[in-house]
Amino acid sequence: MTDAGKNSERSAYDVVVIGAGPVGENVADRVRAAGLSTAVVESELVGGECSYWACMPSKALLRPVVARADARRVPGLSTAVQGPLDVEAVLAHRDEEASHWKDDGQVAWLESVGADVYRGTGRLTGPRTVTVTAPDGTEHRLTARHAVAVCTGSRAVVPSLSGVEEARPWTSREATSAKEAPGRLVIVGGGVVGVEMATVWQALGSEVTLLIRGGGLLPKMEPFAGELVADALKEAGARIRTGVSVTAVHRPAPDGPVTVYLDDGDRIEADEILFATGRAPRTDDLGLETIGLEPGSWLTVDDSCRVESTDWLYAVGDVNHRALLTHQGKYQARIAGAAIAARTGKTPLETAPWGAHAATADHGAVPQVVFTDPEAASVGLTLAEAERAGHRVRAVDHDLAAVAGSGLYADGYRGRARMIVDLDREILLGVTFVGPGIGELLHSATIAVAGEVPIARLWHAVPAYPTISEVWLRLLETYRG
């Protein structure tokens, strides 16, 4: 690992990557594989948000919750798992999966691929120039012969409300790293973070209240996804209030309760409040003004992830606002790394849809799993999105509980599957599954959507019996009639 040196030392590299989360790591890996010298700058922990405050700790918290829920639906096992979860053990496992918030292993991996790691805040100070300011204030100036890749990710947004600063609200970071379960937890927002954290903390002993400005949960998915997740959360004991907004919060004592004021005149008292109300790009302190761009803005890119109006700046992952998901950012990193290498070697780029240098999946084949009970998973377009885009489509639905494998998986199984068929091309534009254990089904749907596999060929993809994946056959039978 390289620390920023004194007296503004200069170093030249082929590529400079700002941000060493999963996205930055993958850009570095791909350009190093192409033989390009690479520097990676990180201001916090190498491994980024996903490793320490998002994907890994949240899924470590969710896994025992979902496993217990599944076990409670299995005859012969259900009576053995009726007790509470071991909260201390769950949190200890979470700490292990978050590497106890230490990044030694991630640093060692980056160094093993031949990248130089610089600790400090990286700022653009002109075209192809990055100045790294170390924690002790010393500086190191890096120049990039070919490309700078901005991989700084996004941060949670806390709305500007009366009393919010003094209330010290949770964001996703505090929700995934908390050392104990709050007695009463108010969650503002019904997206992925909101429903996953409601699932976790309700199961770990908190009294959870979800406050939703709109009409339901998971608004970016098919409506039935949010409905089934809401039903399960209510059965678990959570309270869900829709059509309400928070107008103010008040915590008079630093260690005391917080009062949440609503626009309908009501108020709720809680021990903690979590705002899960969106993300903003981490570009406000990046030096964008030195190259004519707006600080704090999302960076608009082409399909190779190169920032528009430049021939050297790339924005990969959350900062380009295409698909704010770790796996999608890593996909973009593979595309961008290959494009940087191709342009460096002056070899032709494959920028047509689905080409080696085009992040085409960002437009219509983005997969996502919400790890609640039941799980919700989707890829591609919803029915509403497909219709808005002008496609002539048909939604084909099937009750997942009617599949033999679902009945074997759990008593009282509840779930639903939907595929969106492009009637002109007879391919799938989107697929949604909701139900216990369906997260692992999603990749088959992703292949069907990204591969534009014809319905006629999917008919020959025979699902094993008796598995939940037999829902594919039922969906196709329903479509064919």
Side-chain angles (χ1 to χ4, degrees):
M1 180 174 62
T2 304
D3 291 314
K6 297 180 182 300
N7 303 320
S8 296
E9 296 179 8
R10 295 170 178 258
S11 295
Y13 292 87
D14 293 323
V15 180
V16 176
V17 180
I18 307 177
V23 175
E25 289 176 321
N26 274 266
V27 171
D29 181 50
R30 290 298 82 212
V31 296
R32 282 296 302 133
L36 302 178
S37 61
T38 307
V40 182
V41 183
E42 176 53 51
S43 61
E44 292 187 291
L45 296 176
V46 174
E49 196 83 8
C50 175
S51 298
Y52 308 105
W53 299 288
C55 315
M56 296 305 292
S58 67
K59 277 49 185 184
L61 290 168
L62 284 157
R63 178 59 191 147
V65 176
V66 173
R68 181 182 65 168
D70 282 346
R72 283 178 169 177
R73 292 187 282 260
V74 178
L77 179 59
S78 58
T79 57
V81 288
Q82 290 303 314
L85 291 167
D86 184 336
V87 177
E88 185 176 344
V90 171
L91 297 182
H93 176 60
R94 181 271 319 272
D95 293 351
E96 284 287 329
E97 291 299 323
S99 301
H100 297 277
W101 293 273
K102 296 178 181 178
D103 64 0
D104 302 34
Q106 302 261 20
V107 171
W109 180 84
L110 259 183
E111 292 179 337
S112 75
V113 302
D116 289 345
V117 181
Y118 289 80
R119 294 281 195 186
T121 301
R123 296 181 182 86
L124 294 164
T125 48
R128 295 184 175 85
T129 304
V130 176
T131 297
V132 183
T133 304
D136 65 1
T138 57
E139 292 184 345
H140 202 119
R141 191 175 187 186
L142 309 178
T143 58
R145 299 184 188 95
H146 301 293
V148 174
V150 175
C151 308
T152 49
S154 63
R155 57 178 173 79
V157 173
V158 176
S160 297
L161 297 171
S162 174
V164 73
E165 187 173 342
E166 295 79 9
R168 295 174 291 106
W170 280 8
T171 67
S172 52
R173 284 196 170 196
E174 290 77 19
T176 57
S177 61
K179 300 304 180 184
E180 60 183 11
R184 299 161 299 174
L185 174 64
V186 166
I187 299 175
V188 184
V192 177
V193 172
V195 298
E196 287 191 346
M197 291 301 97
T199 300
V200 165
W201 293 111
Q202 181 69 40
L204 294 181
S206 301
E207 294 179 6
V208 171
T209 301
L210 266 168
L211 302 177
I212 314 300
R213 185 170 56 185
L217 305 181
L218 299 175
K220 294 184 178 180
M221 301 183 84
E222 297 283 8
F224 63 82
E227 292 165 5
L228 286 167
V229 171
D231 288 345
L233 281 171
K234 290 174 184 175
E235 289 173 9
R239 290 176 291 177
I240 300 175
R241 297 185 58 177
T242 59
V244 295
S245 295
V246 177
T247 58
V249 292
H250 183 54
R251 194 195 294 263
D255 296 325
V258 58
T259 302
V260 184
Y261 296 86
L262 305 180
D263 61 353
D264 63 0
D266 201 1
R267 65 179 67 179
I268 302 172
E269 188 175 87
D271 298 291
E272 299 292 349
I273 180 170
L274 161 63
F275 282 100
T277 49
R279 311 284 297 180
R282 294 183 61 186
T283 60
D284 48 327
D285 191 26
L286 190 60
L288 291 180
E289 68 280 1
T290 68
I291 58 169
L293 296 176
E294 183 68 28
S297 63
W298 302 102
L299 297 175
T300 304
V301 299
D302 62 19
D303 276 358
S304 72
C305 294
R306 188 168 64 175
V307 176
E308 292 183 352
S309 304
T310 78
D311 63 0
W312 59 274
L313 184 63
Y314 291 74
V316 193
D318 282 11
V319 288
N320 62 36
H321 208 223
R322 289 164 68 105
L324 278 66
L325 295 160
T326 295
H327 50 268
Q328 211 67 19
K330 290 164 69 174
Y331 161 71
Q332 293 174 12
R334 296 190 292 272
I335 298 293
I340 291 169
R343 288 185 173 119
T344 299
K346 295 181 172 52
T347 57
L349 264 68
E350 299 175 30
T351 55
W354 308 111
H357 308 114
T360 312
D362 288 349
H363 303 299
V366 175
Q368 181 172 24
V369 179
V370 184
F371 292 86
T372 45
D373 173 41
E375 292 175 341
S378 66
V379 62
L381 305 180
T382 63
L383 175 60
E385 288 169 339
E387 290 177 338
R388 282 197 300 269
H391 297 288
R392 194 171 68 91
V393 295
R394 175 184 166 192
V396 182
D397 293 319
H398 195 76
D399 181 3
L400 267 169
V403 177
S406 303
L408 292 169
Y409 189 91
D411 269 3
Y413 191 103
R414 285 181 290 176
R416 186 171 170 185
R418 167 174 286 182
M419 66 181 190
I420 307 300
V421 180
D422 182 322
L423 296 174
D424 295 318
R425 294 190 291 164
E426 285 223 313
I427 61 171
L428 302 186
L429 297 179
V431 180
T432 299
F433 301 119
V434 183
I438 54 77
E440 296 297 338
L441 277 182
L442 186 62
H443 195 56
S444 59
T446 302
I447 292 169
V449 172
E452 298 181 345
V453 182
I455 292 284
R457 180 56 61 88
L458 283 176
W459 190 253
H460 295 281
V462 182
Y465 181 87
T467 64
I468 300 175
S469 63
E470 198 181 16
V471 70
W472 278 109
L473 175 58
R474 304 301 170 222
L475 286 167
L476 293 170
E477 288 174 334
T478 303
Y479 174 68
R480 287 196 165 188

